[in-house]
Amino acid sequence: MKLDTSGLESFSTLTAPGDDVVGEFSAPPSFQLPNSNDFDGFVKEAIQMVKPAKGTTTLAFIFKDGVIVAADSRASMGGYIYSVKKIIEINPYMLGTMAGGAADCQFWHRNLGIKCRLHELANKRRISVTGASKLLANILYSYRGMGLSVGTMIAGWDETVIHMSNYHMAFAQLGPSLYYVDSEGGRLKGTRFSVGSGSPYAYGVLDNGYRYDLSVEEAVELGRRAIYHATFRDGASGGVVSVYHVGPEGWKKWTGDDVGDLHYQYYPVVPSTVEQEMVEATGA
Amino acid sequence: MECVFGLVGNGFAIVVADTSAVHSILVHKSNEDKIMVLDSHKLIAASGEPGDRVQFTEYIQKNVALYQFRNGIPLTTAAAANFTRGELATALRKNPYFVNVLLAGYDKETGPSLYYIDYIATMHKVDKGAFGYGSYFSLSMMDRHYHSGMSVEEAIDLVDKCIMEIRSRLVVAPPNFVIKIVDKDGARQYAWRESVKDAPVPSA
């Protein structure tokens, strides 16, 4: 007796590629899935491909004159190394740092910039850093588990104080603010953060040299030094150190030094004394 | 490594949570407040994945507030706890929240209460409860020294004993803890127990 296996045939033979796979049934709104036999495996591979890309060092800290934001510029894909801009200018008074997938960070920061501008137009007032970071965190949370890789810090200077009632969230501060937001949906408010594979190295130098009452020059130098030390020890960080300062007027780029040059600047080559000098042997 | 524990005393309930925000080996900050004030007489102490923790507790907080706006009276602690458990249960088979919650509240009619709700939507009304690695140390301490009707001083003394035990015995012990209390006068922060202080920042 021939078994009726028509129920086991897949729909894909009946529909053209690109059509909704479900066919006649009304499908819930969803994005197109890639043509792959093993979709779960594909998603896992995609996530794994982006994971090691958090090879970077970025840091930011608040001090009395604003926020310092510093980052390296190295991006590597396997054995190939190149340089990218890791500090993203969301708008003239807010900066974002990039760690993780470059495309993810650039796209979502640009998207955040759009939303911030829309907020300004709708409310006739700049959005606070609290609000902007919450917008980004909610977006990233809704894509949880789908393979986004974003480890970013949102730094800016707020111009207004917004109070809310006692039960609910704290008020937005007048002055500098710094938030850490990642693709797992976490959002932390703080005064010092470092993100990326080189961050433990950067934290050491940053924590030790940090004081709230640093001058702008000292703070820029601290950021630069911390990134330099991280690039020295971490293979996935390097290139050029960029340091930005966010003050009441907005952000300003301060330095963009190559770490190789910085190394010889901090640790110049000292001709070492010769212990034993070879002398020409007299005679044959 | 996230330590959350709490107990019920004479006319009050206390919850304690560590304050470290950790990402693999890195401590991002050590003054993260994980006990949210749900409404005037309720506290929710949560531990778990950072994104889930904040999003879920805020969601519960806003829904509790919405109920009060719509109906003019606040939810009882039992109702809030059952609502929380229901939300976790509904999400469990679709998009689970990895959050463990201790919900403490004070009702005029029934007094203080503490609810233990874990991430797979188990709920128990308890006198003392704990989550995380710290629970291995704090639960036995509380079992040994707890008696019903403790005063605030006795309860704080027990909490400090638990914190000291966690600090000395847990290999990745969090340095700082926050203690919050809820009683007939409302929910408020009681104290911090800090052994690692951040660089001083003059307050705005």
Side-chain angles (χ1 to χ4, degrees):
Chain A
M1 188 170 74
K2 190 164 188 295
L3 293 167
D4 175 35
T5 54
S6 59
L8 294 170
E9 274 164 54
S10 74
F11 284 171
S12 56
T13 53
L14 302 172
T15 60
D19 280 357
D20 193 300
V21 175
V22 183
E24 328 164 308
F25 310 121
S26 61
S30 70
F31 44 83
Q32 259 189 337
L33 299 176
N35 290 333
S36 155
N37 295 328
D38 174 23
F39 179 64
D40 287 329
F42 173 79
V43 172
K44 276 202 181 75
E45 257 185 55
I47 293 173
Q48 286 309 318
M49 188 187 83
V50 193
K51 255 204 179 116
K54 277 200 190 153
T56 184
T57 312
T58 60
L59 64 85
F61 60 92
I62 293 180
F63 68 114
K64 76 171 179 354
D65 290 324
V67 199
I68 294 290
V69 182
D72 74 314
S73 71
R74 176 167 292 183
S76 47
M77 226 160 54
Y80 186 69
I81 296 174
Y82 50 101
S83 199
V84 284
K85 199 155 168 281
K86 293 191 187 174
I87 298 182
I88 298 159
E89 297 145 11
I90 298 170
N91 60 43
Y93 59 95
M94 232 192 282
L95 293 173
T97 60
M98 180 200 298
D104 286 338
C105 289
Q106 277 175 1
F107 179 86
W108 289 110
H109 278 130
R110 185 73 189 261
N111 188 273
L112 179 65
I114 294 169
K115 292 206 159 61
C116 291
R117 180 68 184 139
L118 288 172
H119 176 100
E120 267 179 41
L121 292 169
N123 297 284
K124 277 190 167 177
R125 168 171 81 180
R126 272 204 232 150
I127 192 172
S128 64
V129 180
T130 312
S133 60
K134 191 71 176 171
L135 275 176
L136 183 63
N138 285 339
I139 291 168
L140 293 176
Y141 184 71
S142 63
Y143 284 92
R144 213 167 60 91
M146 296 193 204
L148 282 185
S149 171
V150 172
T152 183
M153 294 179 285
I154 307 289
W157 187 291
D158 288 329
E159 60 172 2
T160 50
V161 178
I162 306 153
H163 277 280
M164 287 185 178
S165 83
N166 287 334
Y167 301 153
H168 306 298
M169 305 311 286
F171 40 82
Q173 278 178 313
L174 175 74
S177 284
L178 177 61
Y179 285 84
Y180 164 75
V181 179
D182 71 25
S183 44
E184 269 104 67
R187 172 175 167 265
L188 298 171
K189 180 175 164 64
T191 46
R192 296 202 293 285
F193 286 116
S194 178
V195 183
S197 57
S199 59
Y201 305 113
Y203 263 127
V205 176
L206 178 60
D207 287 337
N208 191 246
Y210 176 81
R211 276 182 351 260
Y212 183 76
D213 54 1
L214 290 166
S215 70
V216 179
E217 288 78 18
E218 289 175 324
V220 166
E221 180 53 30
L222 178 62
R224 191 163 63 164
R225 196 74 188 244
I227 297 283
Y228 156 74
H229 280 285
T231 59
F232 185 70
R233 286 293 181 181
D234 178 33
S237 303
V240 165
V241 181
S242 315
V243 184
Y244 283 65
H245 168 241
V246 188
E249 314 298 316
W251 55 258
K252 177 172 170 243
K253 180 163 182 175
W254 272 71
T255 62
D257 302 301
D258 184 280
V259 293
D261 296 338
L262 278 181
H263 174 78
Y264 292 109
Q265 200 184 310
Y266 292 137
Y267 302 104
V269 178
V270 174
S272 50
T273 54
V274 177
E275 287 174 3
Q276 262 193 330
E277 204 174 315
M278 288 235 315
V279 186
E280 274 277 344
T282 51
Chain B
M1 344 72 236
E2 289 199 353
C3 305
V4 175
F5 61 94
L7 56 110
V8 173
N10 186 13
F12 67 92
I14 274 189
V15 274
V16 185
D18 77 292
T19 58
S20 315
V22 165
H23 186 87
S24 87
I25 58 163
L26 255 186
V27 177
H28 274 304
K29 65 189 288 212
S30 14
N31 56 358
E32 169 83 351
D33 189 354
K34 297 180 188 168
I35 307 181
M36 183 177 277
V37 173
L38 214 55
D39 73 11
S40 62
H41 286 76
K42 288 186 206 27
L43 288 170
I44 188 162
S47 75
E49 264 195 45
D52 283 347
R53 174 170 59 79
V54 172
Q55 294 279 355
F56 182 71
T57 52
E58 278 182 10
Y59 173 70
I60 299 296
Q61 186 192 54
K62 303 315 173 201
N63 274 287
V64 166
L66 181 62
Y67 181 94
Q68 181 162 0
F69 288 136
R70 279 192 176 143
N71 301 288
I73 51 163
L75 278 170
T76 59
T77 312
N82 276 287
F83 171 69
T84 307
R85 191 213 89 89
E87 288 304 310
L88 282 169
T90 315
L92 183 62
R93 304 262 187 231
K94 289 183 212 151
N95 190 9
Y97 295 106
F98 288 102
V99 202
N100 299 311
V101 153
L102 274 181
L103 203 155
Y106 183 90
D107 304 306
K108 263 215 302 258
E109 300 80 23
T110 49
S113 47
L114 183 67
Y115 288 87
Y116 169 105
I117 305 168
D118 79 5
Y119 73 102
I120 37 179
T122 316
M123 188 179 78
H124 292 291
K125 182 173 186 302
V126 292
D127 288 329
K128 46 188 154 47
F131 283 113
Y133 285 128
S135 70
Y136 288 98
F137 310 102
S138 52
L139 276 175
S140 56
M141 289 291 282
M142 289 196 287
D143 287 339
R144 169 68 184 83
H145 295 288
Y146 178 87
H147 57 90
S148 62
M150 289 172 86
S151 70
V152 179
E153 291 75 27
E154 289 176 312
I156 292 295
D157 191 57
L158 177 53
V159 159
D160 281 329
K161 279 201 182 72
C162 291
I163 290 175
M164 273 210 298
E165 189 61 18
I166 291 170
R167 274 195 186 137
S168 53
R169 286 296 185 183
L170 184 56
V171 63
V172 270
N176 302 335
F177 290 82
V178 65
I179 305 173
K180 293 200 179 174
I181 187 171
V182 59
D183 61 13
K184 65 174 180 5
D185 299 322
R188 61 191 179 282
Q189 184 174 294
Y190 183 88
W192 282 74
R193 295 287 186 249
E194 283 175 313
S195 63
V196 167
K197 271 199 160 67
D198 206 357
V201 174
S203 44

